[in-house]
Amino acid sequence: MYLILFGAPGVGKGTQAKKISKEFSIPQISTGDMLREAVRNNTELGQKASEIMKRGELVPDDLILNIIKERFAQADCKNGFILDGFPRTIPQAEGLADLMNQLDLPPLLCLEVAVPNEIIIKRLTTRETCEKCGADYNPANNPAPADRICTICGGKIIKRSDDNEDTIQKRLQTYENQTAPVKGFYEKQGRFYAVDGNKSVDEVYVDLKAILKK
Ligand code: AP5
């Protein structure tokens, strides 16, 4: 199974990708998580990406395509994967298509999760995250404990540096200008489906699975 979970920031791509990953035993490949890890480890990539991410802009395509190429070479990708937050530009979608061809992999299915912007802003301004393992805490479905210590790994629970209202607005603008056009790329191939993400986490998952079973 080779999937893209597509959609604006905060629609629930990561939440749903984790559920699919667990049930179908394929890895979730989140370029956002990979970049945040690089920032934490202060690697060359992390140093280049850090300020760009804080501004809610996109990291250059060549850097993203390089990390994807390296990730696809790992053994856990041999039976499929779920791409979460990638591709985000037409050149990334084209680079991905080339890479899939080179590796002789089957066509990708692109599943969009759609949520109105006002709901996205509410979700992201109230989200908190473990700085160590990235676990998600949100008053709506998984409130953070009072001591702000992650119940999974014991890390500190913080606010992501791009989860403030100004940067969220910028991320939404970046999505409209640079990422939304990628939809057409997969629609033309007849490999694009959309679900309503403004439902409970479990209801969205049921709708996604119905498409996967088609
Ligand atoms: P990235 O980490 O990909 O962030 P994003 O796309 O902005 O997405 P989020 O992780 O914020 O949201 P999500 O859709 O995964 O939703 P989630 O499940 O967490 O990217 C960050 C930055 O890195 C980018 O801005 C860019 O700078 C850079 N970057 C990354 N990839 C790149 C690329 N390919 N090219 C260039 N630059 C790149 O849910 C959000 C919240 O809502 C959670 O708290 C969750 O609990 C809650 N929630 C989820 N589902 C529901 C529901 N159904 N009902 C109620 N609450 C829900």
Side-chain angles (χ1 to χ4, degrees):
M1 191 184 281
Y2 294 84
L3 299 179
I4 299 171
L5 271 189
F6 187 81
V11 294
K13 302 182 296 295
T15 303
Q16 298 298 332
K18 283 185 185 64
K19 289 172 84 69
I20 297 174
S21 169
K22 195 167 171 204
E23 180 164 347
F24 294 91
S25 302
I26 50 173
Q28 169 197 9
I29 300 182
S30 157
T31 41
D33 287 348
M34 291 157 90
L35 291 168
R36 277 183 290 279
E37 194 186 343
V39 172
R40 266 196 308 278
N41 295 333
N42 199 25
T43 64
E44 200 184 327
L45 171 67
Q47 287 169 13
K48 285 181 184 156
S50 174
E51 289 306 312
I52 299 172
M53 293 169 80
K54 275 188 202 151
R55 291 198 300 269
E57 295 169 6
L58 294 183
V59 173
D61 293 332
D62 56 334
L63 297 180
I64 297 291
L65 285 164
N66 277 343
I67 60 172
I68 284 289
K69 197 171 173 183
E70 281 172 17
R71 184 66 186 87
F72 281 8
Q74 290 175 20
D76 63 340
C77 290
K78 70 176 189 311
N79 294 321
F81 44 69
I82 310 154
L83 300 174
D84 161 13
F86 169 84
R88 260 173 145 103
T89 63
I90 295 285
Q92 288 184 20
E94 289 168 347
L96 172 61
D98 288 346
L99 191 57
M100 299 290 290
N101 273 337
Q102 282 163 28
L103 299 172
D104 205 18
L105 296 176
L108 284 152
L109 192 61
C110 183
L111 306 180
E112 181 190 37
V113 181
V115 173
N117 281 1
E118 63 272 21
I119 304 288
I120 289 178
I121 292 166
K122 189 163 172 223
R123 285 185 187 177
L124 294 184
T125 48
T126 56
R127 167 169 70 180
E128 294 178 286
T129 311
C130 171
E131 71 173 351
K132 199 166 155 204
C133 74
D136 168 72
Y137 293 92
N138 195 305
N141 35 43
N142 184 27
D147 61 5
R148 335 288 316 154
I149 299 294
C150 178
T151 52
I152 298 168
C153 75
K156 206 163 111 194
I157 298 173
I158 55 152
K159 262 213 94 56
R160 249 170 66 172
S161 62
D162 58 350
D163 274 351
N164 58 76
E165 191 149 353
D166 284 352
T167 313
I168 294 165
Q169 293 287 3
K170 175 68 193 188
R171 285 158 68 195
L172 290 170
Q173 248 174 40
T174 303
Y175 173 79
E176 274 315 313
N177 296 339
Q178 290 175 265
T179 307
V182 172
K183 260 194 248 188
F185 186 91
Y186 294 101
E187 272 168 340
K188 268 190 233 147
Q189 298 170 16
R191 309 280 306 163
F192 182 88
Y193 295 88
V195 301
D196 178 3
N198 193 13
K199 296 181 177 178
S200 74
V201 170
D202 288 343
E203 285 169 327
V204 177
Y205 189 56
V206 167
D207 292 348
L208 287 172
K209 274 216 306 192
I211 296 169
L212 296 179
K213 282 186 183 148
K214 272 185 191 169

